[in-house]
Amino acid sequence: PDLLLLVELVGHSGLQFDAEFTRHDGLFLEVELVELLEEDSLLAELGPGFRVFMSHYDEVLADLTPLAGVKGPRGPLEPPLWTAQSAQCPTHAFRIPGLPVWGVQFHAEMPVEEAIGLIRERSLVRPEHYPDPEGTIAQAVSTPELWQRLVDNFFESALVP
């Protein structure tokens, strides 16, 4: 059977990163969906976009073509497609066509209380990164329904032959 995979983008993935990219540490951003494939139901039923917590200091470079041609369980991989972006970052989610493989960079799994705690804690350590922590906290949204929809969609998509 195929390996089912839903991962958060991390620096250990072998992808290239832009460390000079504007940080998105402790922000709630509007993410919009792009390039959805018909068979891509991971992001289905999420509307045209959603607000979600971000916490990263770098950006996976938009060129994922180095992954194309890598031998996968069904032969060479197709180039991955970016499926979510924001005005601040073009690389919030991707999909490898033809396989149950997705990657997301946002944190829908994080309870809003935990996100607010991180913002408060980090604003004490790095006040230059958080000029208005209370303003950021005022934009906080709770995303358990979003997270549950992603998890449900993942298992429904991954279990479809």
Side-chain angles (χ1 to χ4, degrees):
D2 291 336
L3 172 68
L4 309 179
L5 185 61
L6 171 64
V7 297
E8 289 188 358
L9 297 174
V10 295
H12 307 289
S13 65
L15 300 176
Q16 292 182 334
F17 287 78
D18 178 0
E20 301 300 316
F21 187 71
T22 304
R23 66 172 189 79
H24 296 108
D25 180 33
L27 298 174
F28 291 87
L29 297 178
E30 295 292 331
V31 172
E32 60 185 87
L33 305 180
V34 295
E35 288 197 59
L36 289 182
L37 305 172
E38 276 192 35
E39 77 273 10
D40 185 5
S41 56
L42 180 72
L43 301 175
E45 301 175 28
L46 298 180
F50 46 87
R51 180 179 274 292
V52 66
F53 185 67
M54 302 285 173
S55 183
H56 56 276
Y57 284 90
D58 50 14
E59 171 193 20
V60 174
L61 296 176
D63 181 11
L64 291 179
T65 54
L67 293 179
V70 170
K71 187 174 181 337
R74 298 178 189 160
L77 298 181
E78 293 183 43
L81 297 174
W82 290 109
T83 56
Q85 66 184 10
S86 69
Q88 298 82 358
C89 178
T91 58
H92 286 300
F94 73 88
R95 166 77 193 270
I96 297 181
L99 291 174
V101 178
W102 300 265
V104 299
Q105 189 162 240
F106 50 82
H107 292 284
E109 82 286 357
M110 186 176 288
V112 69
E113 300 81 12
E114 183 178 346
I116 289 170
L118 281 175
I119 292 167
R120 288 198 167 117
E121 178 182 313
R122 291 175 180 172
S123 70
L124 297 174
V125 176
R126 297 185 190 125
E128 68 278 8
H129 289 180
Y130 297 89
D132 183 16
E134 294 305 316
T136 300
I137 289 168
Q139 298 175 26
V141 293
S142 181
T143 55
E145 296 86 7
L146 172 63
W147 177 241
Q148 188 62 56
R149 173 65 12 218
L150 285 168
V151 170
D152 290 347
N153 286 350
F154 172 70
F155 283 108
E156 289 170 15
S157 296
L159 296 177
V160 173

